[in-house]
Amino acid sequence: SMPLQEHALALFRSAVGTVRPAPMLQRAVKLQEDGCPQLLVKGRAFPVKKDLYLVGFGKAVLGMAAAAEEILGDHLTRGIINVPLGIQGSLQRAGMQEMLLKPHSKIQVIEGARNNLPDAEALKGAVAIKELAESLTADDLLLVLISGGGSALLPAPIPPILLAEKEKLTKALASRGAAIQELNVVRKTLSLLKGGGLARLAYPAQVVSLILSDVIGDPLDIIASGPTAASSHSLQDCLQILTKYNLLHNLPKSVEMVLSSSPTKPTAPEDYSHVCNVIIGSNTQALDEAKRQAEGLGYAALILSTSVCGEVGRVATLYCQLAQLVCLGLAAPRDGLLSKQVRAGLLQLAAELQVPGLNLAEFLEALRGLEPEKPVCILAGGETTVRLRGAGKGGRNQELALRVGLGLHRAWAAGASSPSGRCELIFLSAGTDGQDGPTEAAGAFCSPKLVAEALREGLDVETFLSNNDSYTFFSQFQGGHHLLVTGLTGTNVMDIHALLIR
């Protein structure tokens, strides 16, 4: 009977392990050398007629490139990748040699985008990638590696727009409350490489993109702003967004020039017949592996959704109510009055949260069908949002974990369901990239028991939450034993949530 926290940690580690760059690429890509060499990507064959080039951009691309170079060997002619500032040093210090390129690699590494913002270094790398793409012929093959964070690492505004002007416009939109999707539509319209630009420049070469998704629903034209995917947006969409945020009438001259000469229709799909985009890693893959591990540990495991999103407090309520429902089922015969109330509350909340693709009624049916004697593991993935009100230290995962612990402690104190020893539980929320906000933690473990203990020691959990200070709470409590600290993982498929109950 291992502690629940150790189980949760094992599930998280296995989930992240399966979307690490090397195993992911080895599963998806092979090089067949007999006769004319061919690149096999998930079973599709691409002949290597002449030269094979590689470009890439994103937070996980260094490890992806190291794995790709192992697979391609001497067939690789040359490569250029744009990766976050300082990543080679961090991976070196963490002893993660397998994520680093070999000393005589044919791949040039450019580090840029300090604090995930486009800068001169990232621009330099983007220009080098653009020039490589433009030089390709019909017999060349371009392998493109893409992961989250790729947008900031591939800035190439359409001349005469300057990077500073594009940045200023993006900031103005963000400060007026534009959503990330809206920002991306504007960025793509003003960019040479985003919104399919890179693929168009590489024509007539064959382009094969290997993509690690960090976006809910894995939309090809949104991940890293879709440099090799046909954009689903037009100039009209961009103008609409600028109008909505009242920015259309004070644009820099350069932006006006580009907008007035942009084609009004998006590029036709047939212009992308030379491109093959393949998602090789995603939150779904990570959760499937965690579920396999949970079943191996004796849990009845269910995946709620890979698209959990919304304000962190609302999402915490969803998990609290799910936990109560499971505990009621474990403690008492199914379908008591209390169960019915909790179930109704859950369906109402799910309707308000609008998690893409979540059929909660179906999920609750599956929950009812679980073997009554087994401990339960509910897994989910996605990315919540936090409204910053305080000046504390934390991150969306630590805050979600603390809110779930507090919510359950309150429910049990109010006698909503029995803390009769029959229901021991823990909740884990953590970022698969190993980072949750500005601290060294990837996330945290929390339980109602922990909250009860904190209250006995005179710690006011509410105050920590209202100051967005979940990290301080966890770090001064039990020696930080409830923080999950992994260091950079070298991959990124959003967050993982795990609720373990026995």
Side-chain angles (χ1 to χ4, degrees):
S1 68
M2 248 162 87
L4 287 180
Q5 184 163 333
E6 277 177 50
H7 282 178
L9 178 61
L11 299 184
F12 180 76
R13 288 219 162 109
S14 67
V16 170
T18 202
V19 289
R20 275 213 145 105
M24 217 169 43
L25 264 116
Q26 285 150 3
R27 279 195 302 268
V29 182
K30 310 239 176 316
L31 191 81
Q32 207 173 11
E33 303 211 47
D34 40 314
C36 165
Q38 303 196 76
L39 192 62
L40 299 177
V41 179
K42 286 202 169 173
R44 282 189 63 174
F46 300 95
V48 182
K49 298 179 203 154
K50 190 169 157 248
D51 291 334
L52 174 53
Y53 294 95
L54 179 152
V55 297
F57 28 88
K59 291 179 183 177
V61 158
L62 187 60
M64 288 167 81
E69 192 164 28
E70 285 282 299
I71 296 166
L72 304 174
D74 293 336
H75 290 282
L76 180 64
T77 308
R78 176 175 158 236
I80 304 168
I81 58 171
N82 275 8
V83 295
L85 189 69
I87 191 166
Q88 293 177 98
S90 331
L91 292 173
Q92 189 91 52
R93 285 191 296 277
M96 293 165 77
Q97 297 315 35
E98 74 283 3
M99 301 258 183
L100 296 165
L101 295 168
K102 300 280 184 288
H104 303 292
S105 168
K106 292 178 183 167
I107 300 172
Q108 176 194 357
V109 180
I110 296 167
E111 291 192 357
R114 180 191 293 276
N115 299 331
N116 206 19
L117 295 168
D119 56 15
E121 282 307 299
L123 180 59
K124 189 178 100 183
V127 170
I129 287 173
K130 170 181 166 284
E131 286 167 357
L132 175 79
E134 286 171 328
S135 71
L136 303 177
T137 69
D139 289 337
D140 293 324
L141 177 59
L142 179 65
L143 190 61
V144 185
L145 307 176
I146 301 176
S147 80
S151 204
L153 285 159
L154 199 70
I158 299 172
I161 301 174
L162 300 172
L163 186 59
E165 294 176 316
K166 189 174 159 186
E167 271 316 277
K168 199 173 154 192
L169 179 58
T170 309
K171 279 204 179 104
L173 278 164
S175 71
R176 291 171 189 215
I180 182 72
Q181 283 78 358
E182 294 176 314
L183 292 176
N184 278 345
V185 171
V186 175
R187 278 189 198 135
K188 284 195 293 191
T189 312
L190 305 178
S191 168
L192 282 170
L193 299 174
K194 292 174 180 141
L198 178 62
R200 290 196 298 276
L201 291 176
Y203 182 85
Q206 172 72 56
V207 177
V208 179
S209 283
L210 306 179
I211 302 166
L212 178 61
S213 169
D214 70 330
V215 181
I216 283 179
D218 308 335
L220 291 172
D221 67 322
I222 301 287
I223 303 164
S225 301
T228 58
S231 175
S232 52
H233 303 104
S234 64
L235 175 67
Q236 220 35 55
D237 296 320
C238 175
L239 297 174
Q240 250 167 355
I241 292 164
L242 292 171
T243 307
K244 174 178 169 183
Y245 294 104
N246 236 343
L247 287 166
L248 197 57
H249 299 299
N250 43 7
L251 293 171
K253 283 277 164 284
S254 58
V255 174
E256 280 182 1
M257 265 177 72
V258 167
L259 290 176
S260 62
S261 60
S262 288
T264 47
K265 285 195 170 51
T267 326
E270 57 270 21
D271 294 345
Y272 294 89
S273 56
H274 63 299
V275 183
C276 175
N277 287 309
V278 185
I279 296 219
I280 62 166
S282 65
N283 191 272
T284 305
Q285 237 172 0
L287 288 181
D288 286 343
E289 179 59 30
K291 178 175 189 270
R292 247 205 316 280
Q293 294 287 332
E295 288 166 347
L297 289 168
Y299 287 86
L302 287 176
I303 294 173
L304 174 69
S305 164
T306 57
S307 315
V308 173
C309 54
E311 201 272 317
V312 67
R314 312 298 308 269
V315 174
T317 306
L318 179 75
Y319 286 126
C320 287
Q321 294 185 345
L322 274 173
Q324 285 179 58
L325 201 58
V326 174
C327 287
L328 286 167
L330 287 174
R334 310 279 157 107
D335 295 331
L337 182 63
L338 199 52
S339 281
K340 289 206 171 82
Q341 287 171 345
V342 176
R343 191 177 294 255
L346 260 170
L347 290 166
Q348 171 69 35
L349 185 62
E352 288 166 25
L353 274 171
Q354 294 187 325
V355 171
L358 171 61
N359 181 339
L360 192 66
E362 203 174 281
F363 180 81
L364 294 178
E365 270 312 299
L367 206 51
R368 280 166 88 163
L370 296 179
E371 294 173 53
E373 290 314 303
K374 276 191 165 178
V376 176
C377 169
I378 295 176
L379 294 158
E383 213 152 271
T384 57
T385 45
V386 172
R387 270 205 223 79
L388 288 179
R389 292 187 303 268
K393 280 171 93 172
R396 59 179 182 264
N397 288 292
Q398 295 161 71
E399 182 153 328
L400 178 61
L402 187 51
R403 284 181 182 278
V404 171
L406 178 63
L408 283 170
H409 174 265
R410 281 192 177 146
W412 284 351
S417 55
S418 67
S420 63
R422 178 64 236 258
C423 221
E424 185 196 352
L425 67 80
I426 199 158
F427 179 78
L428 164 69
S429 181
T432 52
D433 58 356
Q435 285 177 312
D436 180 32
T439 70
E440 82 281 9
F445 306 88
C446 198
S447 65
K449 210 160 89 190
L450 180 74
V451 171
E453 216 169 303
L455 294 171
R456 279 200 299 277
E457 288 186 22
L459 289 176
D460 182 14
V461 182
E462 260 308 307
T463 307
F464 284 102
L465 281 170
S466 60
N467 197 26
N468 298 115
D469 207 12
S470 49
Y471 173 80
T472 307
F473 171 84
F474 286 117
S475 54
Q476 61 170 258
F477 198 69
Q478 291 191 345
H481 166 64
H482 290 271
L483 285 169
L484 174 60
V485 180
T486 58
L488 279 179
T489 61
T491 187
N492 181 14
V493 293
M494 302 187 288
D495 301 336
I496 285 180
H497 307 151
L499 177 63
L500 276 57
I501 304 175
R502 65 178 176 203

